[in-house]
C-alpha cells in the first residue's frame, strides 16, 4: 500500500481503505479507491456501481429502479451481511450509503 505495508485483503483492511476515502468522495461518488492512504489500508478496493439515467421513460420504470437500488444499498437488503459474506464483500460505509441514497432519489 502507500505506506509500504504488505497487507492481506481482509474485512478490516478493506474497511480501513474505504474509511480513509470517505471524506474525499464527491457527491456523484466517482472516485478511484486504488491505493488509499493509511498504513492499514488494503491497496486495491472498489465500490460496485450501477450506471442509471436520472430520467426514465415513465414513472413506473423510475419507481422500480429506485426501489431495487434502494434495496441494494440498504443494510436490511442487498447490503446485509447474509448477502455480502457469500461474495466476501463488506457493507458500504454509512457515508457512502447516504450518498448513494441521495443519487437514487434523483431518478425520475
Amino acid at each position: 500500500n502507500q505506506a509500504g505495508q504488505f497487507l492481506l485483503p481482509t474485512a478490516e483492511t478493506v474497511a480501513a481503505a474505504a474509511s480513509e476515502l470517505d471524506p474525499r468522495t464527491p457527491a456523484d461518488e466517482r472516485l478511484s479507491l486504488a491505493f488509499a492512504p493509511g498504513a492499514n489500508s488494503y491497496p486495491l478496493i472498489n465500490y460496485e456501481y450501477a450506471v442509471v439515467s436520472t430520467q426514465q421513460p415513465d414513472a413506473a420504470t423510475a419507481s422500480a429502479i429506485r426501489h431495487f437500488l434502494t434495496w441494494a444499498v440498504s443494510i436490511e437488503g442487498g447490503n446485509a451481511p447474509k448477502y455480502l459474506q457469500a461474495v466476501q464483500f463488506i457493507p458500504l460505509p454509512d457515508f457512502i450509503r447516504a450518498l448513494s441514497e441521495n443519487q437514487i432519489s434523483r431518478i425520475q
Side-chain angles (χ1 to χ4, degrees), residues 68-84 97:
F68 170 73
L69 292 175
T70 299
W71 174 87
V73 301
S74 166
I75 57 175
E76 294 86 21
N79 203 31
K82 68 181 179 179
Y83 297 113
L84 299 176
R97 190 174 56 255

Side-chain angles (χ1 to χ4, degrees), residues 2-78:
Q2 278 192 28
Q5 302 296 312
F6 178 80
L7 300 170
L8 294 175
T10 66
E12 293 78 21
T13 60
V14 170
S19 69
E20 287 286 339
L21 293 168
D22 276 2
R24 300 176 187 195
T25 305
D28 65 9
E29 299 181 80
R30 287 189 254 178
L31 174 76
S32 171
L33 300 175
F35 294 106
N40 294 319
S41 296
Y42 187 72
L44 299 172
I45 69 167
N46 204 7
Y47 298 129
E48 297 299 319
Y49 293 92
V51 179
V52 178
S53 175
T54 57
Q55 298 300 313
Q56 295 299 314
D58 56 67
T61 301
S63 177
I65 291 171
R66 281 193 314 271
H67 180 77
F68 170 73
L69 292 175
T70 299
W71 174 87
V73 301
S74 166
I75 57 175
E76 294 86 21

